[in-house]
Every structure is written in C-alpha cells, then in structure tokens.
Amino acid sequence: MVFTKKIKLKLRYYRQSDVVKVLIACLNGQSKEVNVFPALLGMPLQYQNLKSEVSKVTFYPYVRGEINDRGRKPSPLRIIINTGKAQRDRWAAYFLILKSKVTQDNSLKHDPEKSFSSKLTLTVDDLVNLLNNFKSEGGVSH
C-alpha cells in the first residue's frame, strides 16, 4: 500500500537521520545507540540485506516477564480506504490511531545481540503529528 510505504519512509528519515545508516554504524561498532522510529508501526521489525558483518537484525518490544523479555506489538495505525458507490474512481483514506504503549522504558530488544542499545522514543502523538504533516503535504486525496 502506497500510504504505508510513504509513512515508513518518513519514519526511516525522521528527525533528519537515516535509521538504517545508524543501525549499520552500530553493527560495525561505530555507534552505540539506534532509535528505531519505524518500530512504532509494529514489531517484530526486521531489517535485512544490511551492508555490514551482520546482514539481518530483528527488533522486538521490551516486555518484562515475557520469554527473553521480548514481546509482539501490532501497529497502532489502521488505514481505511473507502470508495464511492456511484463513482468508483473517488476514494478517501482514513487513519485510525489506537493509543497504546509500544514498549516498556522506551527500550527495544534486538537479535542478534550486539554491543549497542536500541530504543523507540517516538510516541503515538508524534505519529499523529507526522500523519497531519503527511496530509498537509498532499499525501491524502479524495
């Protein structure tokens, strides 16, 4: 879906940094922390074909008490597309955002375990602001 891809791309470059480049720097020992903004759209989240000694990393929400303190988290964002009955070429997209805690202590778990920390500081309110900006940039059409 075009909306989801655009939103994921905006999250990848959120706050003027490329999450994937920072992740690769962490895997190569050049950085100690990565803030994985796209994880807000659901986990586990997997990055593959990375140009580093580790080619695949999976992120999980930190959930104390679960096996290995790892959980699963569905996306708080639902995208609903409605088409008109009379005119099938007219449509509207609606974003439904469910307020929910994604992870405990803003921490993420990652596999394989390497010597860097991963976190998610983006909130559902930040997602609302991002979607409002997306809409004002012409990302939603009727």
Side-chain angles (χ1 to χ4, degrees), residues 6 8 27-28 33 44 49 55 81 85 97 120 139 142:
K6 285 185 178 182
K8 285 181 181 179
L27 291 169
N28 292 334
E33 184 176 75
N49 303 321
S55 66
I81 308 286
K85 289 183 181 181
I97 300 173
L120 174 62
H142 293 278

Side-chain angles (χ1 to χ4, degrees), residues 55-128:
S55 66
K56 181 171 86 171
V57 177
T58 306
F59 292 95
Y60 303 89
Y62 172 63
V63 181
R64 204 174 0 256
E66 290 289 324
I67 298 171
N68 296 327
D69 292 328
R70 296 177 181 175
R72 298 182 64 81
K73 184 67 182 160
S75 176
L77 174 64
R78 301 291 185 263
I79 301 173
I80 301 149
I81 308 286
N82 286 339
T83 59
K85 289 183 181 181
Q87 296 175 313
R88 288 273 179 214
D89 61 337
R90 298 205 28 98
W91 56 273
Y94 299 93
F95 299 115
L96 174 63
I97 300 173
L98 308 170
K99 287 238 180 203
S100 66
K101 190 169 180 80
V102 177
T103 186
Q104 293 175 342
D105 305 325
N106 294 334
S107 299
L108 298 178
K109 302 289 277 182
H110 54 272
D111 208 13
E113 293 185 16
K114 297 289 263 177
S115 59
F116 67 90
S117 63
S118 54
K119 64 182 182 175
L120 174 62
T121 59
L122 197 68
T123 65
V124 172
D125 291 331
D126 293 325
L127 181 61
V128 169

Side-chain angles (χ1 to χ4, degrees), residues 127-139:
L127 181 61
V128 169
N129 290 334
L130 185 118
L131 291 173
N132 283 332
N133 291 338
F134 181 69
K135 182 178 176 182
S136 69
E137 292 170 3

